[in-house]
Amino acid sequence: DRQMEERVAQFCGITGASTTNARRFIEKFRGLEPALNAYYNDPNALSSQRGTPGASTSKLADLFNKYKDPDGEDIGVDGTIKFCEDLSVNPEDVVLLAVAYELKSPRMGEWSRKGWVDGWKALGCAASALDRLRLQLAQDPQYFQQVYNYTFEFSRPQGQRSLGLDMAQAFWALLIPHGLQGGALAHVNTPNDDGDEEMDDGEGWKPQYLEWWFEFLNEKGGKGVSKDTWQMFLEFVRTIDARFQKYDTEAAWPSTLDDFVEYARGRLGAS
């Protein structure tokens, strides 16, 4: 039927398998995702068929070759777009930042052979891995920070120390709401001068403050965002109270954040 044909086409697109093998896996495991998991994780998934591909280096290398630039050694932007189409994932989906971290993407939209093979071998089936990584990125504060920090490194233009303002805002717009919604960026009370946890009203960073941050940066001007500002902004979002009252101007915050606190207080006072 048509549904089976669509599943077979997706299976073939993701794995590079023949339509015959695709149909066998889908029928045996009763669904696309279980079939994909079996295809990559169990070399003997079909007992009647010897040599069924598992999560082998050669099979993943074949998949890499499918998307690799014809004239280069790596997967580039065109291959990335094709891969996203085969997985039915938007190229601007936040989960691809987690994939870039896991596969050690050297630069945005590029994938090396070793990173690709080793990464997918550890992750397993791509389809189920995306759901798992998306959830982990939303809920796990430590994992969120790892992906967040890696995003700056792999998206920064070669030879430059800072990230362009437009690029930084685009990534913040993907990452910050995702972490807030899932709890990875849940508000953390900051210690007071005695070392005890300073209790506030329990409210921290609000979604609309991200727009304030962007408006502030655009008004301020400047060519880019430094690594220090990028990394400290994450800590700032986690710890600032909703009224920007408990910000310690004596602490080692970047001056950009000092100025933003004054800007935000002014906006709160005006409203």
Side-chain angles (χ1 to χ4, degrees):
D1 61 7
R2 184 170 179 177
Q3 190 177 34
M4 172 59 86
E5 288 177 6
E6 289 176 354
R7 288 175 178 171
V8 167
Q10 281 184 277
F11 191 100
C12 294
I14 293 169
T15 64
S18 68
T19 54
T20 302
N21 282 349
R23 188 174 292 276
R24 286 177 178 173
F25 271 85
I26 292 168
E27 287 175 347
K28 180 172 178 63
F29 295 97
R30 298 180 181 179
L32 179 62
E33 189 167 314
L36 286 166
N37 276 320
Y39 185 85
Y40 280 116
N41 296 328
D42 183 1
N44 301 306
L46 293 183
S47 56
S48 60
Q49 182 182 341
R50 291 188 174 275
T52 298
S56 66
T57 300
S58 61
K59 174 48 67 177
L60 290 168
D62 289 343
L63 190 61
F64 181 88
N65 290 334
K66 176 184 176 183
Y67 299 113
K68 183 178 77 70
D69 281 354
D71 302 323
E73 294 300 316
D74 296 336
I75 294 173
V77 174
D78 291 344
T80 300
I81 291 172
K82 180 69 171 69
F83 174 65
C84 290
E85 287 174 353
D86 288 343
L87 276 178
S88 299
V89 62
N90 188 321
E92 296 181 358
D93 191 319
V94 68
V95 75
L96 289 177
L97 297 178
V99 174
Y101 169 74
E102 296 289 346
L103 270 58
K104 296 179 173 62
S105 167
R107 279 173 295 280
M108 191 166 51
E110 292 186 23
W111 315 85
S112 69
R113 183 178 295 274
K114 177 172 172 52
W116 176 276
V117 172
D118 292 349
W120 283 125
K121 200 164 188 178
L123 288 171
C125 166
S128 59
L130 292 185
D131 290 337
R132 191 170 68 249
L133 291 177
R134 187 181 285 105
L135 193 64
Q136 186 176 1
L137 185 62
Q139 296 181 346
D140 184 337
Q142 184 177 1
Y143 186 70
F144 184 95
Q145 184 166 359
Q146 290 168 341
V147 173
Y148 178 89
N149 287 341
Y150 192 80
T151 297
F152 181 89
E153 297 298 338
F154 100 109
S155 59
R156 180 176 49 177
Q158 282 184 288
Q160 294 189 22
R161 299 178 66 180
S162 61
L163 188 60
L165 202 54
D166 289 348
M167 187 76 74
Q169 290 184 21
F171 285 125
W172 274 323
L174 285 176
L175 286 160
I176 301 302
H178 192 71
L180 287 171
Q181 289 166 9
L185 287 179
H187 180 55
V188 177
N189 287 321
T190 52
N192 59 21
D193 294 338
D194 300 323
D196 299 324
E197 204 172 73
E198 184 173 333
M199 298 305 293
D200 51 37
D201 58 9
E203 286 192 9
W205 184 268
K206 295 184 178 181
Q208 67 264 32
Y209 293 165
L210 191 61
E211 290 302 318
W212 292 13
W213 172 238
F214 292 167
E215 289 167 14
F216 163 77
L217 290 174
N218 292 333
E219 287 177 19
K220 182 173 185 265
K223 294 181 179 178
V225 174
S226 69
K227 183 176 181 178
D228 184 46
T229 298
W230 176 269
Q231 293 186 346
M232 292 297 286
F233 181 69
L234 179 61
E235 184 66 17
F236 177 75
V237 170
R238 282 178 167 159
T239 57
I240 194 66
D241 63 288
R243 302 291 300 175
F244 296 89
Q245 293 302 316
K246 296 183 171 63
Y247 181 79
D248 183 3
T249 55
E250 300 301 315
W253 294 105
S255 60
T256 302
L257 288 175
D258 291 341
D259 295 341
F260 174 65
V261 168
E262 291 304 310
Y263 173 88
R265 285 173 178 171
R267 295 216 29 179
L268 285 168
S271 61

